[in-house]
Amino acid sequence: MTQNKIIRGSWVMVDGQMQADTIENKIIEMIKNELSEIKITNWAALYIDTFGNYWELTYPQSHMHGGGPRQLERLSISDASDWCPTI
């Protein structure tokens, strides 16, 4: 599991096509294999990892087609409680 507080993906142009960079692919991998969903809204989600860390998924470049690349931010318990008061 990563120790970074913010993990921000990007899209890069490869042979004339936009593709996810390695960080964006890592975020996708974390969501599929390492995180459990707690709550989801239209453009954000709250996850927890196996170590008890809370992660907020957002799309900070939401003006881009498809919502743009993802960002995961590790939250404090207090910030996660703002998302979901039962935490």
Side-chain angles (χ1 to χ4, degrees):
M1 178 59 61
T2 183
Q3 294 300 315
N4 297 355
K5 180 164 173 50
I6 296 178
I7 306 168
R8 186 173 295 125
S10 294
W11 291 348
V12 294
M13 188 69 71
V14 177
D15 296 327
Q17 295 186 351
M18 293 297 280
Q19 294 184 1
D21 71 353
T22 56
I23 297 170
E24 177 78 357
N25 286 326
K26 173 62 177 167
I27 292 170
I28 293 167
E29 178 186 322
M30 287 175 67
I31 292 168
K32 287 181 180 177
N33 301 316
E34 301 175 25
L35 302 176
S36 297
E37 184 181 290
I38 296 174
K39 185 174 181 177
I40 191 165
T41 66
N42 290 339
W43 289 102
L46 180 66
Y47 294 92
I48 190 168
D49 66 25
T50 56
F51 300 103
N53 297 305
Y54 293 96
W55 293 88
E56 178 183 46
L57 173 69
T58 57
Y59 297 82
Q61 298 177 36
S62 59
H63 63 279
M64 296 178 71
H65 180 74
R70 295 163 180 86
Q71 173 179 293
L72 277 175
E73 181 174 0
R74 190 163 27 99
L75 301 179
S76 67
I77 291 174
S78 174
D79 288 338
S81 294
D82 291 343
W83 255 89
C84 190
T86 59
I87 292 176

